[in-house]
Amino acid sequence: MFYLIDSSAVLNDFGFQFVPEHKYVTTALVVNEFRDMRSRHLMENALRQSVLSIAEPKKQTLNYAGDLVAEKGFTRLSKPDLSLIALAIDLKKQGKKFILITDDYSIQNFAKILEIPFESAMRGEISKTITFSISCPSCGKTLPASSKERKCPDCGSRLRRKMLEK
Ligand SMILES: [Zn+2]
């Protein structure tokens, strides 16, 4: 099997091993997150044995992923997270069969939205897709999740940000 791997999978799972029969790929930004001895050691060995390789998403896919994440109202995704999502989009476009391994719920959420198969290493998988809505508690006006407004443009009340599960 071909796995796209997130740092969370390796960092959270102390029993994690790269299986030489499989192939793994990730981005340089994700590799930089392997800072402790155990995960660095695992990663360097896997790179040396060509079990793990590093690939970069296309710049335009990275931009697209950034826009999508902002549009859905997610603010907690890091640059490594974004690079991973973008690479997943690229691999899918190329018709590659792969599974994304991540314990990060935000990344899992985007895997769901983008219909990318994923597995979790330790923490389990989300069953619902999360989106956000922004609305005014006073007049009921709703704004797109990507909105940066803090106050209602109609009545000036403080806007409420709500998490929706589907
Ligand atoms: Zn209002």
Side-chain angles (χ1 to χ4, degrees):
M1 182 45 81
F2 186 46
Y3 293 106
L4 175 59
I5 189 162
D6 180 23
S7 58
S8 65
V10 183
L11 298 176
N12 293 349
D13 179 0
F14 285 94
F16 182 89
Q17 296 285 350
F18 288 98
V19 180
E21 286 76 35
H22 299 310
K23 290 282 176 206
Y24 302 81
V25 66
T26 193
T27 67
L29 285 176
V30 170
V31 157
N32 281 342
E33 293 184 316
F34 295 116
R35 288 199 194 95
D36 65 293
M37 282 260 284
R38 179 187 61 91
S39 63
R40 273 218 89 84
H41 186 72
L42 280 174
M43 182 265 291
E44 280 164 6
N45 265 334
L47 280 173
R48 204 176 309 127
Q49 293 162 4
S50 304
V51 176
L52 172 68
S53 58
I54 296 174
E56 291 311 315
K58 293 200 181 98
K59 188 131 205 295
Q60 67 192 65
T61 315
L62 204 53
N63 291 339
Y64 167 79
D67 290 347
L68 181 73
V69 162
E71 180 196 311
K72 301 284 180 192
F74 279 77
T75 48
R76 283 173 52 199
L77 284 166
S78 65
K79 281 215 162 82
D81 295 345
L82 265 181
S83 73
L84 200 73
I85 291 167
L87 185 58
I89 296 170
D90 277 346
L91 292 172
K92 197 187 176 201
K93 271 192 193 153
Q94 291 160 17
K96 291 250 166 67
K97 284 203 113 178
F98 67 97
I99 296 171
L100 170 62
I101 307 182
T102 181
D103 274 8
D104 186 308
Y105 289 151
S106 299
I107 297 177
Q108 289 185 4
N109 194 58
F110 276 92
K112 282 210 153 205
I113 290 169
L114 296 160
E115 296 178 340
I116 286 160
F118 65 87
E119 281 174 8
S120 104
M122 289 299 278
R123 284 201 339 191
E125 289 154 23
I126 55 163
S127 54
K128 292 169 178 155
T129 313
I130 296 159
T131 52
F132 294 97
S133 80
I134 299 175
S135 63
C136 173
S138 304
C139 73
K141 184 181 177 67
T142 57
L143 283 94
S146 57
S147 173
K148 299 262 188 291
E149 301 281 350
R150 283 170 180 275
K151 287 188 171 150
C152 176
D154 288 358
C155 73
S157 303
R158 207 169 175 45
L159 290 166
R160 192 172 290 158
R161 194 178 161 84
K162 213 164 78 183
M163 202 162 89
L164 304 170
E165 289 185 350
K166 260 195 297 229

